[in-house]
Amino acid sequence: MSLLKEAPANISEFTSSIAYKELEKLAKHPFDLTASNALTPERVQKYISQACGYKLLYGTERIDDQIMQQLIELAKERKVFEKMQQLQAGEKINFIKGFDSENRAVLHTALRDQFDNPRQDPAAKEARLMAKQQLDALKKFSEDIEKDPAIQNLIIVAIGGSELGPKACYNALMYLKKPNRKVYFISNVDPDAVAKTLKCVSLKNTIVAVVSKSGSTLEIATNELLLRDAYRQAGLDANQYFYAVTGQGSPLDNPKNYRGVFLLWDWVGGRYSSTSTVGGLPIVFSEGYDAFIEFLRGAHAMDQAALTPTLKTNLPLLAALLGIWNRNFLKSPTLAIIPYSVALSFFCDHLQQLDMESNGKRVDQNGNFVEFDTGPIIWGRPGTDAQHSFFQLLHQGTSRIPIEFIGFLEGQYKHDLELEGTTSQQKLLANLLAQSISLAKGQKSKNPNKDFPGNSPNHVLIAKQLTPYQLGALLSYHENKVVFQGFIWGINSFDQEGVQLGKVMSKQLIDQQKKGSGPVADLAGIAMLNEFKGL
């Protein structure tokens, strides 16, 4: 019997690349952030990149020049620049070769490609023109609402990416909120979600936007019916209060049933739809059409940065490569994202879906099971609250967890006060930097309970202020980072088959609750349902 291990049936292009082999060697001795004089001012200055008003400081990552050079070589070998060009040109990149798949273009970048010499590739140009029509419709919506002071509330009925991203972005720009304008989001099929919202609004002052690309999403349809029934009971014609955001030709694409209809397209995935009318409606309603346009400008600027061939300006690719280093070579299974801004309180929720639904895959685009780790677990919450929650584990737990810190030099409201020589905003930033440095350097102590191992890789993304432009750039930075990592791993970041299995089984169990109609449900599920009856 041979003592040689058999090679896996499929060796991926990722793990067989020359740069991958070199990075494996370098990972045996990564840069030691806890070494004496490791974090010098010179190192901090050396590892800084800048684009779209953001600086990314990554001297607190476990990298050196040799590691960074091999990461760049990896990006070249995996042809990420060419693939990003293909994406933004509208080529079909959403596919699994040889198997049934969506097989279509991915053009969320066309939604904001309205400025500064837009692309002329035929597919991208056509998508841009379609997006411009919806922008014009949003502008008219804004003008119409301004003429109707009775309208004070907007309820968004959506789920998944159509709710998480728009909700995060709307809340991030609340400092621009117009008087007497408030947006509510309903996503959960739990009837309490609708009932709770109805207690907060007067229906005669409230419009509703129902968001479903297919027009047949179960949770959306259920919640729409509950809301329509509430309007009926209030003696109001729901058709005069409801809008639809949907795919052309879907069941919701029916102007007779809605005050207005906005369109979506199959080349925009839900988690990439924040710069479409899905994300535009709440911002335009509450914070204004001009704020949404600036939001798009920022996203477009970072899309352009993602096409540049140098890490000095390509922040999304730089972040992607640092993530690959931490995930695949330093073997870190998670990434914590900690924004030091209360405005980004919902942003981690969106980034969790964006990353984990995109890159939580175990099959490459050739239909082969991968033999390496793909998307990390994304989690986090705003600082300084997080420091008094889970930072104990980050500092002294048994796992080294990579972190992205996000901060701003100025607050949005400019409402601050100097106390003991510093403002609240200065104290906030001091906390951010202290955590970054402390997690990297650690602290040696003869008292084991006061010993901090350090070497927790992290980087800091910083801008002057969280404006609509900077929010758009921040959103695009993360979207493009996720896409770059998918390109490097050779997986499809644009489908979500993993969401479907639970949906199919829930439909079977719902049919079972209808006195046994429909296909036979899973027997274990039926047994569990029967147990519920005894409560």
Side-chain angles (χ1 to χ4, degrees):
M1 181 186 294
S2 171
L3 296 178
L4 295 174
K5 292 182 179 179
E6 291 185 6
N10 170 59
I11 300 295
S12 73
E13 295 175 359
F14 170 56
T15 57
S16 61
S17 66
I18 296 172
Y20 181 94
K21 302 299 183 186
E22 291 301 314
L23 287 164
E24 275 191 316
K25 297 175 187 175
L26 293 170
K28 294 177 181 178
H29 302 287
F31 185 81
D32 185 2
L33 295 165
T34 69
S36 178
N37 295 322
L39 283 179
T40 62
E42 292 76 20
R43 178 176 171 86
V44 170
Q45 289 293 321
K46 184 177 188 178
Y47 295 117
I48 295 179
S49 293
Q50 186 170 358
C52 307
Y54 281 96
K55 283 187 177 181
L56 199 159
L57 289 70
Y58 60 106
T60 44
E61 294 279 354
R62 300 195 67 184
I63 50 90
D64 55 25
D65 288 352
Q66 194 175 6
I67 291 167
M68 289 309 303
Q69 185 55 48
Q70 288 304 318
L71 287 171
I72 292 169
E73 292 301 318
L74 178 64
K76 291 178 179 177
E77 285 188 67
R78 302 300 296 126
K79 295 182 169 53
V80 298
F81 298 106
E82 294 88 336
K83 291 174 181 176
M84 182 58 74
Q85 285 281 1
Q86 290 169 3
L87 182 153
Q88 295 196 27
E91 296 186 29
K92 290 184 179 181
I93 63 170
N94 176 356
F95 66 86
I96 302 294
K97 191 181 297 182
F99 293 89
D100 180 49
S101 61
E102 294 179 345
N103 192 32
R104 58 196 183 208
V106 177
L107 271 168
H108 54 275
T109 54
L111 298 168
R112 55 257 194 162
D113 189 20
Q114 309 287 335
F115 320 98
D116 306 326
N117 302 314
R119 297 187 72 100
Q120 297 303 315
D121 311 274
K125 184 177 180 179
E126 181 183 2
R128 184 179 73 249
L129 293 174
M130 295 166 75
K132 179 62 167 62
Q133 291 175 348
Q134 296 307 301
L135 265 182
D136 291 342
L138 271 179
K139 186 174 185 180
K140 185 177 185 304
F141 165 81
S142 176
E143 293 168 350
D144 291 345
I145 293 300
E146 288 299 322
K147 296 174 186 175
D148 190 351
I151 301 301
Q152 298 179 359
N153 306 301
L154 167 64
I155 298 175
I156 303 285
V157 182
I159 198 164
S162 298
E163 188 259 354
L164 289 168
K167 181 178 180 179
C169 295
Y170 157 74
N171 278 277
L173 298 179
M174 283 281 283
Y175 78 107
L176 297 174
K177 189 177 84 68
K178 297 180 179 183
N180 301 319
R181 291 287 176 84
K182 189 165 184 180
V183 181
Y184 298 84
F185 292 83
I186 297 175
S187 60
N188 203 316
V189 75
D190 184 342
D192 286 350
V194 172
K196 178 182 176 182
T197 304
L198 289 174
K199 278 187 169 291
C200 299
V201 300
S202 167
L203 293 184
K204 65 180 181 180
N205 302 120
T206 303
I207 56 175
V208 177
V210 182
V211 184
S212 174
K213 193 192 306 183
S214 68
S216 59
T217 308
L218 178 64
E219 295 95 331
I220 306 304
T222 302
N223 286 333
E224 179 180 5
L225 286 175
L226 278 174
L227 286 168
R228 282 184 175 271
D229 184 63
Y231 276 80
R232 181 187 61 78
Q233 292 187 41
L236 300 171
D237 180 3
N239 292 355
Q240 301 303 311
Y241 291 84
F242 278 53
Y243 290 81
V245 186
T246 190
Q248 192 167 20
S250 89
L252 298 186
D253 185 16
N254 185 352
K256 293 180 181 179
N257 294 338
Y258 297 94
R259 179 167 169 164
V261 176
F262 298 94
L263 295 180
L264 295 171
W265 309 276
D266 64 3
W267 38 263
V268 180
R271 59 192 178 277
Y272 295 98
S273 67
S274 292
T275 49
S276 73
T277 50
V278 178
L281 270 173
I283 292 176
V284 167
F285 178 81
S286 178
E287 290 126 10
Y289 179 78
D290 291 343
F292 185 60
I293 292 298
E294 281 303 298
F295 174 63
L296 296 183
R297 285 185 183 277
H300 174 65
M302 193 63 81
D303 290 341
Q304 296 299 102
L307 294 171
T308 59
T310 170
L311 294 187
K312 278 297 180 184
T313 52
N314 196 329
L315 299 191
L317 179 57
L318 173 56
L321 292 174
L322 293 172
I324 293 285
W325 172 245
N326 290 327
R327 180 72 171 121
N328 296 106
F329 300 99
L330 299 188
K331 306 300 181 183
S332 299
T334 81
L335 170 66
I337 298 177
I338 314 295
Y340 277 68
S341 168
V342 70
L344 295 177
S345 293
F346 293 93
F347 209 63
C348 293
D349 293 344
H350 170 56
L351 297 183
Q352 186 177 73
Q353 190 209 6
L354 170 67
D355 203 313
M356 295 174 70
E357 190 168 84
S358 294
N359 289 342
K361 310 290 174 62
R362 61 189 303 118
V363 175
D364 67 18
Q365 285 198 282
N366 293 315
N368 298 311
F369 292 108
V370 300
E371 78 282 7
F372 53 85
D373 291 323
T374 58
I377 297 167
I378 305 295
W379 61 289
R381 67 173 300 185
T384 57
D385 291 345
Q387 294 172 203
H388 299 269
S389 174
F390 50 76
F391 266 56
Q392 169 62 41
L393 185 147
L394 298 186
H395 279 288
Q396 290 185 303
T398 55
S399 298
R400 303 275 66 77
I401 296 173
I403 305 160
E404 176 174 87
F405 292 100
I406 304 171
F408 302 92
L409 299 182
E410 299 176 2
Q412 291 179 317
Y413 293 90
K414 303 293 182 70
H415 179 77
D416 207 344
L417 184 69
E418 187 174 297
L419 177 65
E420 297 181 356
T422 58
T423 65
S424 296
Q425 191 69 21
Q426 289 173 320
K427 293 178 176 71
L428 183 69
L429 288 175
N431 272 273
L432 184 161
L433 295 175
Q435 294 299 328
S436 172
I437 295 167
S438 299
L439 285 159
K441 292 178 68 172
Q443 172 182 283
K444 301 299 180 186
S445 174
K446 293 181 180 179
N447 180 345
N449 201 41
K450 296 183 182 295
D451 189 88
F452 295 78
N455 267 328
S456 291
N458 70 83
H459 58 262
V460 175
L461 189 67
I462 191 90
K464 185 177 180 180
Q465 186 189 36
L466 185 59
T467 63
Y469 182 95
Q470 296 304 153
L471 177 64
L474 183 64
L475 176 78
S476 173
Y477 159 83
H478 282 101
E479 288 178 348
N480 286 304
K481 171 204 139 181
V482 167
V483 168
F484 273 131
Q485 289 186 332
F487 288 158
I488 292 169
W489 286 320
I491 60 177
N492 182 8
S493 300
F494 308 106
D495 64 3
Q496 55 281 330
E497 290 295 332
V499 178
Q500 304 307 317
L501 179 60
K503 283 186 176 181
V504 172
M505 190 168 292
S506 67
K507 176 64 166 60
Q508 292 176 356
L509 291 172
I510 289 169
D511 289 340
Q512 187 66 31
Q513 289 175 311
K514 298 176 187 177
K515 300 179 180 179
S517 65
V520 177
D522 183 85
L523 294 178
I526 294 174
M528 294 170 75
L529 273 177
N530 289 335
E531 288 301 317
F532 291 175
K533 296 174 183 177
L535 291 175

